[in-house]
Amino acid sequence: MLSFSIMKKTIVIISATWLFFAGCETLDLEPQTAVSTSNFFNNADELQIALNGLYEQRLWRLDESYWDDDGHHRGGGQRNNAISRATLNATSGEIEPSWDLSYEAIKRANVLLDQLPAAREKIDNTIVDQAEGEARAIRAYFYSKLAFKFGAIPLITAPLTIQESLEVERTPQENVKQFVYDELDAAASILPEGNENKATQGFTLGIKARFALYMGDYAIARDAARAVIDSDVYSLDTDFQEMFLKAGASSPEHIYFVPHSFELGSTWNFEGGARGIITRNAGGFGANMPTWEAISIFECADGLTIDDSPLYDPFDPFSNRDPRLVQTMVEFGTDWLGYIYQPHPDSVTTLNTVTNTIVNNNDTRSVAIFASFTGLVWKKGVEQSWSDNRTADRNIIILRYGDILLMYAEALIELGENLEAAQQTINQLRARAYSTTVEDMANYPAITETDQAGLRERLRRERRVELMFEGSLRFQDLRRWRLAEQALNQLVVGLPEPQDQDRNQWPFNDQILPDIDENGLVNLKAQQLIDNGFARLLEDYDFAERMYLWPIPADDILLNSNLTQNTGY
């Protein structure tokens, strides 16, 4: 829990007991031991144990991807949450991972940093410097998340006594922002450039670029992203799909990811869990699914959106599209997790490709009413082991080089400078999608816009497609672009009931087609689809203007009268 309200669970004086832990030698997975500070930091191993505590997996939880317009979860009140329904308040369960876990990480960093001066008397200072850089970078990362989401927050930089914890006040967001920038600069000056999977110089500068974009400080974002690019430590992976799988753990594109491993007993259970994502034939629930907006945003192979391209066929929606579409969602009629995936209402049987036998098709709602309501299922980052184990050991990517390129391009666009470089930077990602080089413009649909408005439009679509289903990045983009009200006040639609499905208008109709605007928002014309029998209503989403800043948790305000609440809560 939050360092200044930990008494909600147990009374602990932070400076008296330390619950930092040792992790796996190769992956630094779940912490396994605790060491008292009375004899701590006698050697480098003990310092590393403390440092490992900052990488504990649960601290790095991301927001759910089905909070945005690319995802939907059919789990009723449990999953169609306070974000989707605009009922967020100071007691909502969505608050805790962002607030409490961030302050838990900050508390650990503060204790570690507080003890480093004494450690310098016993441990090689090069090792201590490395630990200091990592701790400061990680602390700044969690402060950046808090400041963007909550605005003014308590800025705590040292361990607190119980009395002090009851008296802290909120620090203005501008002050917290400057603290984050200063800390990341200081950490970057200490940390090495190497590509180890931890807080390195690349991580530090990348997080600075991301936070600066979120804060609208485009020159700072430009310089930080450019520094990562110029380091030549990272590069785009040539295999977009494998990068998100366990086989892609050594990708040159990864800057930092949170590792999990079946063999070491560490599994991933966010986003409603593995079974919420995988298909029903494969032992899952198909409950966490892409929306029709998500499939609609992928361009056709000519580089045009589906509302402009003659290549788009609503009856064969995966053909002639950006290759990232079939790497992000499962194409109908293809082999997936041991079965041919086909949600068509008349496909009541399907092929088990492992046993080569025909079986009941639980991925069509004609057979299983809780099969994917949209007919779409996620493919990106999903693998056979999820079906075999009914859980997942997915590595959660916090930061990758592809995002750095998009940050750099966006900063240039918003500054209105070097727009040709912004264009070429975006084209690097588009060329990778088509398995070619940026210079080979005959073999991928390179963007040719050179004006600010045109490039902004392409950038926003590119971010949506490239980073889809990577945690909360889309949700944060909608918040920082102030588009959440427009994007999330919507009717979420899915396939008609099987008995109502017009078989000649499958899976999408050719009469009411989506429109895609300059911000990369898709207008499905949902009510028209429903009225004409081409879709059914799944959920009526909403978003309130007050939710651009989240509420301070009620428990913390109850314990500390110095804490004030954000407007509207």
Side-chain angles (χ1 to χ4, degrees):
M1 299 296 281
L2 172 60
S3 58
F4 53 88
S5 62
I6 54 174
M7 65 290 293
K8 288 186 285 186
K9 290 187 175 180
T10 55
I11 302 296
V12 178
I13 298 178
I14 298 173
S15 60
T17 303
W18 192 332
L19 298 180
F20 280 129
F21 311 91
C24 165
E25 289 182 359
T26 57
L27 291 178
D28 288 343
L29 294 171
E30 295 290 354
Q32 299 170 358
T33 62
V35 183
S36 168
T37 57
S38 62
N39 61 356
F40 213 43
F41 292 175
N42 289 311
N43 54 55
D45 290 338
E46 291 180 350
L47 178 57
Q48 187 60 53
I49 289 173
L51 196 56
N52 286 350
L54 299 181
Y55 294 97
E56 185 186 353
Q57 293 160 337
R58 69 183 182 90
L59 301 177
W60 294 80
R61 180 166 180 166
L62 301 177
D63 291 338
E64 308 286 6
S65 62
Y66 49 77
W67 290 353
D68 60 45
D69 49 349
D70 288 335
H72 175 69
H73 200 296
R74 65 163 170 77
Q78 177 185 3
R79 297 296 173 190
N80 294 350
N81 42 65
I83 306 299
S84 303
R85 293 178 172 176
T87 58
L88 190 72
N89 60 53
T91 62
S92 296
E94 291 82 3
I95 302 294
E96 182 175 348
S98 294
W99 183 269
D100 291 347
L101 294 180
S102 292
Y103 273 113
E104 173 65 21
I106 289 165
K107 176 193 70 178
R108 295 182 181 196
N110 283 342
V111 176
L112 187 154
L113 291 166
D114 185 65
Q115 297 194 10
L116 285 187
R120 292 187 180 278
E121 299 176 4
K122 304 176 183 179
I123 305 172
D124 186 295
N125 278 354
T126 301
I127 296 173
V128 177
D129 287 344
Q130 173 85 20
E132 178 186 346
E134 290 182 49
R136 294 177 75 173
I138 291 171
R139 181 174 64 177
Y141 165 75
F142 283 101
Y143 267 126
S144 73
K145 292 181 64 178
L146 287 164
F148 177 59
K149 194 165 284 183
F150 296 94
I153 54 173
L155 180 59
I156 304 167
T157 60
L160 299 178
T161 65
I162 293 177
Q163 185 58 41
E164 288 170 338
S165 72
L166 296 173
E167 298 172 352
V168 296
E169 299 178 355
R170 297 174 68 183
T171 302
Q173 185 188 54
E174 190 69 21
N175 294 28
V176 178
K177 180 181 75 171
Q178 192 58 53
F179 173 81
V180 169
Y181 290 159
D182 292 343
E183 284 294 286
L184 291 173
D185 286 343
S189 70
I190 299 171
L191 291 170
E193 285 188 341
N195 61 355
E196 293 181 81
N197 188 43
K198 58 183 181 180
T200 59
Q201 189 176 109
F203 169 86
T204 302
L205 294 170
I207 293 302
K208 184 180 181 183
R210 175 181 288 171
F211 183 54
L213 272 188
Y214 286 9
M215 293 292 102
D217 294 332
Y218 298 113
I220 294 175
R222 174 202 60 201
D223 294 345
R226 184 74 239 182
V228 178
I229 295 168
D230 289 344
S231 72
D232 289 327
V233 173
Y234 311 99
S235 60
L236 288 179
D237 198 315
T238 57
D239 192 328
F240 181 81
Q241 186 169 349
E242 184 175 279
M243 170 173 55
F244 303 101
L245 305 177
K246 298 295 288 187
S250 60
S251 169
E253 191 160 338
H254 293 328
I255 297 177
Y256 179 64
F257 64 86
V258 181
H260 295 85
S261 168
F262 286 135
E263 293 78 8
L264 296 171
S266 173
T267 57
W268 166 87
N269 196 38
F270 303 149
E271 302 285 4
R275 296 188 72 185
I277 294 172
I278 60 177
T279 59
R280 299 186 76 83
N281 282 331
F285 306 131
N288 183 353
M289 67 200 79
T291 60
W292 286 6
E293 287 89 350
I295 191 174
S296 299
I297 196 59
F298 288 84
E299 296 171 357
C300 292
D302 56 9
L304 299 176
T305 53
I306 63 172
D307 54 344
D308 287 333
S309 175
L311 298 179
Y312 178 61
D313 182 356
F315 307 139
D316 189 11
F318 290 92
S319 295
N320 298 315
R321 303 290 291 278
D322 185 316
R324 287 170 291 190
L325 173 56
V326 296
Q327 296 170 334
T328 302
M329 305 175 200
V330 179
E331 182 178 4
F332 299 164
T334 60
D335 188 0
W336 181 239
L337 302 180
Y339 300 85
I340 298 300
Y341 181 72
Q342 180 52 265
H344 192 287
D346 294 337
S347 297
V348 295
T349 61
T350 193
L351 177 67
N352 180 321
T353 58
V354 177
T355 63
N356 200 34
T357 58
I358 300 298
V359 298
N360 285 338
N361 182 14
N362 291 313
D363 289 325
T364 175
R365 297 190 67 247
S366 295
V367 175
I369 61 170
F370 290 116
S372 171
F373 285 177
T374 63
L376 305 171
V377 292
W378 294 113
K379 184 175 185 178
K380 189 176 187 179
V382 181
E383 42 197 317
Q384 182 65 49
S385 61
W386 295 26
S387 175
D388 298 338
N389 293 278
R390 299 297 195 270
T391 186
D393 62 347
R394 183 182 191 178
N395 294 332
I396 305 302
I397 299 173
I398 302 296
L399 185 64
R400 64 179 175 93
Y401 185 66
D403 195 5
I404 296 293
L405 293 178
L406 289 169
M407 294 179 202
Y408 179 62
E410 182 175 356
L412 293 179
I413 292 167
E414 295 305 324
L415 290 168
E417 65 179 39
N418 205 356
L419 296 181
E420 183 177 348
Q423 177 204 77
Q424 287 300 97
T425 302
I426 299 171
N427 277 336
Q428 289 183 50
L429 294 161
R430 297 171 69 82
R432 187 263 296 276
Y434 285 81
S435 301
T436 189
T437 62
V438 69
E439 297 82 12
D440 186 21
M441 297 176 67
N443 289 307
Y444 77 96
I447 64 171
T448 57
E449 288 88 346
T450 56
D451 63 294
Q452 186 184 47
L455 286 168
R456 181 185 292 121
E457 178 175 349
R458 300 309 290 260
L459 181 282
R460 291 186 174 185
R461 289 212 305 267
E462 196 69 24
R463 279 192 66 84
R464 188 171 183 181
V465 167
E466 174 73 18
L467 303 173
M468 186 176 290
F469 199 49
E470 294 187 37
S472 59
L473 294 176
R474 172 65 179 168
F475 183 63
Q476 309 309 344
D477 283 350
L478 291 174
R479 291 180 63 240
R480 69 189 179 89
W481 291 332
R482 305 294 289 191
L483 292 173
E485 288 173 279
Q486 185 178 347
L488 302 181
N489 290 341
Q490 63 172 324
L491 302 179
V492 182
V493 297
L495 296 171
E497 297 292 356
Q499 67 272 16
D500 299 329
Q501 176 71 57
D502 182 346
R503 270 56 171 176
N504 294 318
Q505 297 289 322
W506 167 267
F508 305 116
N509 77 93
D510 63 356
Q511 299 173 35
I512 303 172
L513 299 178
D515 292 329
I516 299 172
D517 74 8
E518 68 278 4
N519 290 309
L521 301 182
V522 179
N523 177 13
L524 291 174
K525 306 168 188 171
Q527 192 60 58
Q528 293 182 53
L529 295 177
I530 295 168
D531 292 343
N532 285 272
F534 296 135
R536 69 186 180 100
L537 178 66
L538 302 182
E539 185 73 18
D540 186 353
Y541 279 5
D542 202 355
F543 187 89
E545 196 276 338
R546 61 182 170 81
M547 291 170 57
Y548 282 113
L549 282 183
W550 281 19
I552 307 301
D555 286 351
D556 292 274
I557 291 179
L558 181 64
L559 286 165
N560 180 1
S561 61
N562 287 337
L563 292 180
T564 58
Q565 187 56 275
N566 282 326
T567 301
Y569 296 102

